[in-house]
Amino acid sequence: MAEPARKLDVIDTAPAFTQADADALNARFDGVETLEMLRTLFAENILGNVAVVSSFGTESAVLLDLVARADPNIPVIFVDTLKMFPETLAYREDLIARFGFSNSQVVTPKVEVLAQKDESGLRWSYDPDGCCEIRKVEPMARAKAGLDSWISGRKAFQSHTRQNIARFEVEDGRLKLNPLGDWVKDDLEAYFAERDLPRHPLEAKGFLSVGCAPCTSPVKPGEDARAGRWRGWDKTECGIHSSDDGESDVSALPPGYEPFL
């Protein structure tokens, strides 16, 4: 039988990474020190097109220092919601310069979406989920669109919603790496001291977890480290990260209010 004049174009829709890939990587790097793991992953190009996503919060310097030591050419993505503390923006500039990253990217909300969905700039006050959706989740989705993998700074000890974090996870076919998932607070403090890393300017004022200015408050003694985020709302995540059951953490909205999603 004669071959067709041209072969049919077939689009490969299979995910770049599967759960089996994540399981294999978790097994391979079980017990391997974080810096060694990162150096191996980058050197062997295991992660494909990868970037580290950083909020430049109170603990961000640790992960950024580790990534820079492994490969300072790894892109660093920051979502500027246009509601950030000035101290966070200044801290970002300081850390990028200190660690020598060569590819620093900033992604912001779409101007037309803000004009349509948050013209007053006050959506955070009555619909924090909707605000996070247009100011953080959608911009982050755009930033991750061309990535095979992304590196997160999540740690299991930060909140009850972040327990049992594996080093490697898969979300929508994209590999998600949590290098500090099994680190505890003492590990972070020891690393800050060992590497003489600068602290976030707001940490000394009681801000143990820093996000957008309107939705971040100081943490009281004995509270969860993320208790100052969205205080007064049943909300613990912005939506970039998912909970263990695969659903995004959302807040409780006022009765009868229809959120933008």
Side-chain angles (χ1 to χ4, degrees), residues 8 31 45 84 93 117 133 143 164 166 177 212-213 244:
L8 295 176
N45 195 30
M84 311 304 293
E93 295 291 338
K117 301 293 183 180
E133 177 71 20
N164 303 316
L177 173 59
C212 295
D244 293 340

Side-chain angles (χ1 to χ4, degrees), residues 67-79:
V67 171
R69 292 172 69 188
D71 186 350
N73 296 312
I74 297 297
V76 179
I77 297 174
F78 170 64
V79 176

Side-chain angles (χ1 to χ4, degrees), residues 96-196:
I96 290 296
R98 179 187 180 99
F99 300 141
F101 282 108
S102 62
N103 186 346
S104 175
Q105 304 174 16
V106 177
V107 60
T108 58
K110 292 183 177 180
V111 174
E112 61 272 23
V113 173
L114 292 180
Q116 180 184 9
K117 301 293 183 180
D118 193 15
E119 184 178 8
S120 69
L122 296 174
R123 189 164 198 134
W124 60 269
S125 66
Y126 58 88
D127 178 16
D129 279 335
C131 188
C132 286
E133 177 71 20
I134 60 180
R135 291 183 178 273
K136 198 162 188 178
V137 178
E138 190 281 329
M140 189 72 257
R142 276 188 279 121
K144 293 191 299 181
L147 299 179
D148 300 310
S149 309
W150 66 292
I151 303 172
S152 159
R154 289 193 310 162
K155 293 161 283 290
F157 79 87
Q158 290 175 318
S159 170
H160 70 279
T161 64
R162 296 188 171 192
Q163 294 175 3
N164 303 316
I165 296 177
R167 273 184 163 180
F168 297 90
E169 303 174 309
V170 174
E171 290 183 355
D172 301 323
R174 187 178 290 112
L175 195 67
K176 181 177 179 179
L177 173 59
N178 305 300
L180 307 182
D182 59 350
W183 284 44
V184 298
K185 188 65 174 176
D186 286 346
D187 296 329
L188 294 171
E189 293 302 320
Y191 194 91
F192 263 103
E194 176 189 348
R195 298 286 296 169
D196 191 26

Side-chain angles (χ1 to χ4, degrees), residues 32 34 48 75 85 88 114 143 160 168 172 179 187 212 214 231 243 253:
V32 177
T34 306
F85 286 98
T88 296
L114 292 180
H160 70 279
F168 297 90
D172 301 323
D187 296 329
C212 295
R231 189 177 294 280
S243 60
L253 298 172

Side-chain angles (χ1 to χ4, degrees), residues 2-8:
E3 293 188 2
R6 65 183 293 274
K7 293 184 179 180
L8 295 176

